[in-house]
Amino acid sequence: MPVLAPSNGRRQRREGKRAAALKFMDKVEPLVAELIQCADTTLALRNDTDVAEAMLRFLRQRVAGVPPPPAQSPPRHAVAAPPSKNVKRELKPLLCDMCKRACAARPTDVDAFFVAYLERRPAFIQRTSRDASRRDLLSEWWAPPDRWRLVWADEFDYVGAPDATKWEYQTTCNAWVHDEEHLELQHYTERNAVVEDGCLKITARLEEEEGCAYTSSRLRTQYKGDWLYGRIEVCAKLPPHHRGLWPAIWLLPTDDAYGHWPSSGEVDVMEHV
């Protein structure tokens, strides 16, 4: 496949965007340093205050023009009781996500932008229990009830085969996935997908069937879950990397209005090669 060098115009636009992003981050960096100091103080005081809540309170005071309170000295026992590793570990993704979103939006009032972010911050920043459902936590952050209406969902809170009212095994693709265009090595079956432990598990197996060395499963929601507009939320865990595996989640049109694939489009949610 030929590799083309970018044109001067594209290179200049790319360098301009990079320079603008760096200039914006120079403006945000002092505020981030103050937030880190606020978080360090909260952790050192060991007062069970949510770190994100402490940063939100600090930002609200900045927006309102209230001077910060005098620094408090940590109690003696704080030296013998280091901050929770979970809280320290979760602080980094919180700040990184805040900066990434601010850099993309380039707000004129960064303080107010951070306040709005922390007021709707991801619930999984506050809750670390492994028993908590990550799907529920994501829904708290990404799908406020006043903005979205749930029209389709499968929480896999049952055991056995996938819900036939929502999923269809796509075994008809065995007629073409082995052609010269695709060269896939597996044969799709209905037994390689099962719902258990609150998850839909699709397993690729080394077993011969219909002249293929492997078996797997492929499912779709066509005519059982079709939408024109909306937002798709997926929580998935990928298998360990092995050469030849290609787990994928994608969106295709219900009808090929503009011709056979890929003429009618495809939206890739996840592909891991």
Side-chain angles (χ1 to χ4, degrees):
M1 184 176 69
V3 178
L4 303 178
S7 64
N8 290 334
R10 288 169 55 193
R11 184 183 295 109
Q12 290 175 357
R13 288 194 297 270
R14 187 171 58 192
E15 291 177 353
K17 290 181 180 179
R18 185 184 296 114
L22 291 175
K23 183 178 180 180
F24 179 80
M25 287 308 299
D26 287 340
K27 183 174 68 173
V28 174
E29 189 174 354
L31 175 57
V32 174
E34 291 187 57
L35 290 174
I36 293 175
Q37 183 179 4
C38 170
D40 287 342
T41 302
T42 303
L43 292 172
L45 290 174
R46 301 288 292 167
N47 55 7
D48 295 328
T49 302
D50 179 21
V51 177
E53 190 66 36
M55 291 192 293
L56 178 59
R57 185 166 55 249
F58 169 79
L59 287 167
R60 283 172 175 164
Q61 291 174 346
R62 279 178 56 101
V63 172
V66 178
Q72 296 176 274
S73 299
R76 296 178 190 174
H77 67 270
V79 178
S84 167
K85 290 184 179 180
N86 285 337
V87 177
K88 293 177 68 177
R89 185 168 55 248
E90 292 172 354
L91 179 61
K92 182 177 179 180
L94 175 66
L95 291 174
C96 288
D97 192 53
M98 284 174 57
C99 293
K100 180 178 70 175
R101 293 178 182 276
C103 191
R106 308 279 174 83
T108 54
D109 190 342
V110 180
D111 292 39
F113 181 88
F114 280 177
V115 167
Y117 174 90
L118 287 172
E119 286 177 342
R120 297 180 55 243
R121 64 188 180 275
F124 56 80
I125 292 296
Q126 305 172 52
R127 294 167 57 184
T128 59
S129 172
R130 297 195 176 192
D131 296 331
S133 168
R134 179 55 61 91
R135 290 186 293 272
D136 294 341
L137 300 180
L138 287 174
S139 298
E140 292 178 21
W141 165 237
W142 291 111
D146 58 331
R147 291 189 56 195
W148 298 98
R149 180 174 59 89
L150 183 64
V151 296
W152 189 95
D154 195 341
E155 300 296 332
F156 303 115
D157 50 357
Y158 53 92
V159 177
D163 188 346
T165 64
K166 299 177 180 179
W167 301 97
E168 175 193 34
Y169 290 104
Q170 192 179 2
T171 56
T172 55
C173 62
N174 285 317
W176 50 264
V177 294
H178 310 126
D179 60 20
E180 293 183 0
E181 181 181 1
H182 297 85
L183 298 176
E184 297 185 20
L185 302 179
Q186 78 288 330
H187 180 78
Y188 288 116
T189 75
E190 297 186 5
R191 65 175 184 275
N192 292 60
V194 64
V195 176
E196 59 184 12
D197 301 326
C199 299
L200 168 62
K201 299 181 180 180
I202 299 177
T203 306
R205 298 190 178 96
L206 177 60
E207 56 184 5
E208 292 189 11
E209 184 162 339
E210 298 293 332
C212 299
Y214 304 89
T215 61
S216 185
S217 283
R218 175 170 171 151
L219 295 95
R220 64 183 180 183
T221 65
Q222 188 176 27
Y223 304 120
K224 301 183 179 185
D226 305 71
W227 312 273
L228 179 59
Y229 300 112
R231 193 187 67 235
I232 307 297
E233 183 179 295
V234 180
C235 182
K237 182 179 180 181
L238 304 182
H241 175 72
H242 293 291
R243 184 178 180 181
L245 289 182
W246 194 341
I249 304 170
W250 63 85
L251 312 178
L252 290 173
T254 301
D255 303 305
D256 292 334
Y258 302 100
H260 185 62
W261 180 91
S263 300
S264 293
E266 173 182 334
V267 177
D268 292 323
V269 178
M270 182 281 301
E271 285 197 14
H272 182 67
V273 181

